[in-house]
Amino acid sequence: MFIRCTVGLGVALVASVVLAIGLGPAPVSPADTLRYLGAALTGGTIRLDEVATYEIVWQLRTPRVLLAAVVGAGLSAVGAGVQALVRNPLADPFVLGISSGAAVGAVSVLVTGALAVAGIYALSVGAFAGALVAAALVHVTARRRGPGGTSPLRLVLTGVAMAYAFQAAMALLIYLVPQGEATATVLYWTLGGFGAATWGSLPLVVVVVLAGITALRLRARDMDVLALGDETAASSGVDTARLRRELFVLTSVMTGAMVAVSGAIGFVGLIVPHLVRMVTGAVHARVLVLAPLVGAVLAVWVDLLSRTVVAPRELPLGVVTALVGVPVFVVLLRRRGYVFGGV
């Protein structure tokens, strides 16, 4: 069952990527899409009258669709990791205030002109720096001395409080420097989107997400034990304080890297792990294989909807994920055969 699901989702992801690259205001058939991708990857030739279409496929749509797949996979894996970290089934990659910190970083760069040396990547660098600062503040504030280290409840409460603080700081920046562009940036980092995807923005986030998923997968067994409670984990030889620190740092870096290139995209990291657990159970070794595949497929199709439903305009990605995620969440909540971590 697990192997069939993995293979099926892998095929679905490849098919979704090809279809999403071809679909849009200027539709391209799957056969032509594959031909253009093959020409780009192998240095093949295309006809002169196909250059414009080729540029749309390779330079505009392909990096965008690939970024959607990578971020969807990363958010789903981080969602599973954060839910294990705080032992809360309602946790998602942004519960610790990291996305709000990233938004402050992005808006600070915009209104002050800082990091100009980074050129077109200044906003992403500022967002990533803001995310790391937010993660550090949450960790330092929530940390307590003595055995057990930082408790899940303290971590969540601190993250929520810091998120409000960062939102207030962001509002103050916009108030002091009232610019229409600043307001648009706030909306972007709040609702997310892949419209700014370029080939240059892909390598770093791909490396961070793949390395992060691999690292989470290596700690899958410890995460299973952690879900049973600190006492059970300690009796099994798991250092819960150290594990939580590792998971916190890992999920924070992954979230910061993804928010830096796509903004804050909600519901993917919350819903996907639960959907996967319905099929494969709560074993993290399996969840962390299937959840990234499901998240990648979901993000690709959500992005396609956002750029085609009201074309040539784009719907904010957060609006589409909420429209999809809220009904799914309600159905899961009312489903008798599935329990949200005992809730």
Side-chain angles (χ1 to χ4, degrees), residues 72 104 108 115 203 236 266:
V104 172
S108 298
L115 299 177
S236 301

Side-chain angles (χ1 to χ4, degrees), residues 149 151 167 200 216 219 258 271 336:
S151 69
Q167 289 170 9
L216 287 172
R219 303 310 302 266
M258 289 183 288
I271 295 297
R336 292 184 178 180

Side-chain angles (χ1 to χ4, degrees), residues 37-38 42 51 69 76 99 129 142 148 207 212 238 245 249 272 279 295 298 330:
L37 294 178
T42 63
V51 171
S76 301
S99 62
V207 171
V238 176
R245 284 196 300 271
V249 172
V272 171
V279 176
L298 176 62
V330 172

Side-chain angles (χ1 to χ4, degrees), residues 89-125:
L90 298 181
D92 70 357
F94 309 118
V95 73
L96 301 179
I98 297 172
S99 62
S100 299
V104 172
V107 175
S108 298
V109 168
L110 180 66
V111 300
T112 64
L115 299 177
V117 293
I120 61 174
Y121 302 111
L123 286 181
S124 294
V125 173

Side-chain angles (χ1 to χ4, degrees), residues 93-103 127 130-132 134-135 248 251-253 255-256 259:
F94 309 118
V95 73
L96 301 179
I98 297 172
S99 62
S100 299
L132 295 185
F248 180 79
T251 55
S252 296
V253 171
T255 302
V259 172

Side-chain angles (χ1 to χ4, degrees), residues 306-327:
S306 74
R307 60 185 169 87
T308 56
V309 170
V310 292
R313 300 183 64 186
E314 289 188 18
L315 287 174
L317 208 60
V319 173
V320 182
T321 55
L323 291 175
V324 174
V326 170

Side-chain angles (χ1 to χ4, degrees), residues 241-314:
R242 179 179 177 181
L243 177 59
R244 282 204 175 93
R245 284 196 300 271
E246 291 177 357
L247 291 177
F248 180 79
V249 172
L250 183 58
T251 55
S252 296
V253 171
M254 291 178 67
T255 302
M258 289 183 288
V259 172
V261 294
S262 67
I265 301 172
F267 277 102
V268 176
L270 172 64
I271 295 297
V272 171
H274 289 300
L275 291 174
V276 172
R277 291 189 191 105
M278 290 179 61
V279 176
T280 191
V283 179
H284 283 90
R286 296 187 174 187
V287 172
L288 289 170
V289 172
L290 296 183
L293 293 173
V294 174
V297 173
L298 176 62
V300 167
W301 285 102
V302 166
D303 177 59
L304 179 62
L305 287 175
S306 74
R307 60 185 169 87
T308 56
V309 170
V310 292
R313 300 183 64 186
E314 289 188 18

